[in-house]
């Protein structure tokens, strides 16, 4: 079998995947998704929402209770991992501690019975790709965390997979190294042209790296879309809260306005039906104006200087609070001062729940 040769670009289809463990509730509860060939696709969500289980089912390490996984027209659900044409990078690296780096990287090729000369050549290429040339004879314990993660990456790409699966690969790295590795991973993804399924609980990482994101909540996909839409148009309180800072305004929609406690109102996006409604509003959409000239007045409760901007906590007339990210020119404001606030009707995002 020549499973080590690239089988061409094929979309990955997940159809109603379900998985439960004997210990409790459904870990994955009906996940359906089409991931395009060559796409950088992220599964994003809090700990325990089913990201790893979904990824392990795609890889073949876990059998779904029901549902299927398609690669192009082929149903790969029953295939073992080594016949799926996929590489996987595990969260804890999972390197063999007593083998050299070169042996670690060669592992998948040995499993696939690739000839020795070719193994040597491909290991050299993969090591160069992750900038680890010269480390061949060391053992994992002699490398830093970031270098070990590169070894895990080299081991995954050496088999020339169509799909690369990454489970929180940068989770253990400090912030600077993580940002550097994010750039490198993106570059590698572009260069190799493979499909990436990337698991993370870090919303910023998902927003900057992905073509598309699926936000998971309790085994289900809460929302899937391009990063902009996930950020600007969250469908639920959960997604709005999980992706970045957000304000939630609770009120009653009537004739195109949201009526709020404290007796003030704000325009809603056109077509919003009447009734009880919660809306998300990003802090950077809240504009400060002269008192008396905005939608309402608010009292400054706290100011946090962030360097490039100022984060203000404001008290609203109804007793609620509002977070505002203002330009640094607002850093002169002090607690107790009154400001006016305003925003555009389209900045309010009606939430389904
Ligand atoms: N091997 C397992 N045995 C029992 N329960 C598991 C196992 N793997 C995962 N779970 C449970 O399934 C749920 C989803 O886990 P997981 O997919 O690891 O979430 P995530 O990767 O998003 O943190 C959790 O409640 C977890 O405790
Ligand atoms: Mg996990």
């Amino acid at each position: 079998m020549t499973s080590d040769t690239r089988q061409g670009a094929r979309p990955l289809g997940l159809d109603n995947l379900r998985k439960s463990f004997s210990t409790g509730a459904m870990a994955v509860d009906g996940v359906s998704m089409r991931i395009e060939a060559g796409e950088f696709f992220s599964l994003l969500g809090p700990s325990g929402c089913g990201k790893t289980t979904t990824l392990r089912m795609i890889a073949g390490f876990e059998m779904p209770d029901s549902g299927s996984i398609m690669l192009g027209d082929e149903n790969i659900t029953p295939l073992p991992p080594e016949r799926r044409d996929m590489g996987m990078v595990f969260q804890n690296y999972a390197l063999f501690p007593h083998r050299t780096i070169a042996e670690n990287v060669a592992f998948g090729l040995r499993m696939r019975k690739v000839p020795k000369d070719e193994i040597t050549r491909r290991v050299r290429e993969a090591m160069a790709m992750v900038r680890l040339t010269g480390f061949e004879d060391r053992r994992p314990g002699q490398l830093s965390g970031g270098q070990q993660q590169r070894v895990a990456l080299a081991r995954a790409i050496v088999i020339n997979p169509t799909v690369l699966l990454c489970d929180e690969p940068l989770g253990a790295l400090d912030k600077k190294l993580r940002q550097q590795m994010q750039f490198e991973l993106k570059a590698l993804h572009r260069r190799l042209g493979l499909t990436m399924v990337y698991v993370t609980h870090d919303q910023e990482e998902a927003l900057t790296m992905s073509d598309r994101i699926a936000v998971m909540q309790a085994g289900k996909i809460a929302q899937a879309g391009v990063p902009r839409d996930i950020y600007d148009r969250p469908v639920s309180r959960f997604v709005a809260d999980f992706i970045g800072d957000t304000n939630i305004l609770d009120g009653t929609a009537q004739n195109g306005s949201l009526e709020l406690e404290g007796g003030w109102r704000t325009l809603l996006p056109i077509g919003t039906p009447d009734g009880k409604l919660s809306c998300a509003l990003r802090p950077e959409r809240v504009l400060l104006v002269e008192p008396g000239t905005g939608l309402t007045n608010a009292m400054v409760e706290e100011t946090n200087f962030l360097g490039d901007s100022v984060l203000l906590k404001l008290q609203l007339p109804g007793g609620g609070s509002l977070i505002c990210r203002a330009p640094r020119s607002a850093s002169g404001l002090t607690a107790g001062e009154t400001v006016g606030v305003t925003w555009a009707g389209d900045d309010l995002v009606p939430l389904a729940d």
Side-chain angles (χ1 to χ4, degrees):
M1 216 193 68
T2 57
S3 60
D4 64 302
T5 54
R6 186 176 289 256
Q7 295 175 11
R10 294 185 291 173
L12 181 64
L14 314 182
D15 184 23
N16 209 6
L17 286 181
R18 284 177 206 279
K19 177 78 187 176
S20 58
F21 294 100
S22 52
T23 43
M26 300 290 286
V28 175
D29 193 6
V31 163
S32 297
M33 187 54 56
R34 182 186 153 101
I35 299 167
E36 299 302 333
E39 191 170 26
F40 196 117
F41 190 91
S42 292
L43 291 173
L44 172 68
S47 178
C49 72
K51 306 179 297 293
T52 294
T53 306
T54 303
L55 205 67
R56 288 174 59 82
M57 287 194 283
I58 298 173
F61 295 116
E62 210 76 73
M63 252 309 162
D65 298 341
S66 63
S68 58
I69 302 164
M70 306 287 293
L71 196 53
D73 298 331
E74 188 187 0
N75 185 348
I76 61 168
T77 322
L79 296 184
E82 65 275 12
R83 291 191 51 208
R84 292 193 179 202
D85 198 21
M86 296 181 183
M88 178 141 173
V89 178
F90 299 88
Q91 185 167 9
N92 59 2
Y93 314 149
L95 301 176
F96 302 113
H98 301 300
R99 299 200 187 168
T100 66
I101 300 308
E103 286 164 352
N104 267 281
V105 175
F107 179 74
L109 298 175
R110 287 234 183 79
M111 289 272 292
R112 289 167 172 79
K113 308 243 183 302
V114 173
K116 227 171 166 192
D117 293 357
E118 193 182 335
I119 292 185
T120 309
R121 178 178 59 79
R122 284 170 65 174
V123 167
R124 198 186 317 126
E125 284 173 8
M127 297 273 298
M129 197 95 75
V130 299
R131 301 193 298 112
L132 274 183
T133 303
F135 290 83
E136 289 78 0
D137 297 327
R138 295 216 202 168
R139 319 243 162 209
Q142 298 170 305
L143 300 185
S144 72
Q147 289 168 332
Q148 290 185 41
Q149 191 53 278
R150 284 168 204 268
V151 177
L153 196 57
R155 185 179 58 180
I157 61 175
V158 78
I159 60 164
N160 200 14
T162 306
V163 181
L164 184 57
L165 308 171
C166 293
D167 192 358
E168 314 225 16
L170 311 181
L173 307 180
D174 63 51
K175 183 162 183 183
K176 229 176 178 151
L177 192 54
R178 200 159 69 222
Q179 280 173 341
Q180 184 193 333
M181 282 297 288
Q182 286 172 1
F183 282 117
E184 289 192 19
L185 269 175
K186 277 295 274 185
L188 200 67
H189 169 249
R190 261 195 305 275
R191 191 142 28 110
L192 298 177
L194 39 68
T195 308
M196 186 78 121
V197 186
Y198 191 91
V199 162
T200 180
H201 67 267
D202 181 337
Q203 41 105 359
E204 214 171 279
E205 184 165 292
L207 288 174
T208 54
M209 295 184 81
S210 318
D211 295 317
R212 270 193 311 151
I213 299 171
V215 181
M216 288 188 73
Q217 175 186 18
K220 293 184 161 70
I221 292 178
Q223 184 173 3
V226 299
R228 265 196 106 83
D229 281 348
I230 298 276
Y231 185 82
D232 286 338
R233 303 273 124 204
V235 296
S236 66
R237 194 179 280 255
F238 174 84
V239 175
D241 260 344
F242 194 73
I243 311 287
D245 296 328
T246 200
N247 294 294
I248 307 274
L249 297 177
D250 299 304
T252 309
Q254 201 163 33
N255 298 329
S257 289
L258 187 67
E259 318 232 343
L260 291 125
E261 226 170 289
W264 58 288
R265 59 177 65 190
T266 163
L267 280 181
L268 284 166
I270 290 165
T272 308
D274 287 354
K276 280 246 167 263
L277 182 67
S278 298
C279 289
L281 175 67
R282 294 293 180 193
E284 66 272 23
R285 300 290 180 167
V286 178
L287 303 176
L288 299 179
V289 292
E290 287 298 317
T293 68
L295 294 165
T296 182
N297 284 349
M299 194 188 75
V300 177
E301 204 178 313
E302 247 177 70
T303 66
N304 281 318
F305 183 59
L306 300 180
D308 55 346
S309 60
V310 187
L311 210 58
L312 300 169
K313 188 173 177 201
L314 307 172
Q315 186 132 95
L316 291 170
S321 62
L322 192 68
I323 305 293
C324 160
R325 186 187 273 268
R328 56 179 290 161
S329 56
S331 62
L333 289 169
T334 50
E337 270 186 75
T338 298
V339 293
V341 291
T342 190
W343 47 81
D346 281 344
D347 290 335
L348 287 183
V349 185
L351 302 173
D353 56 72

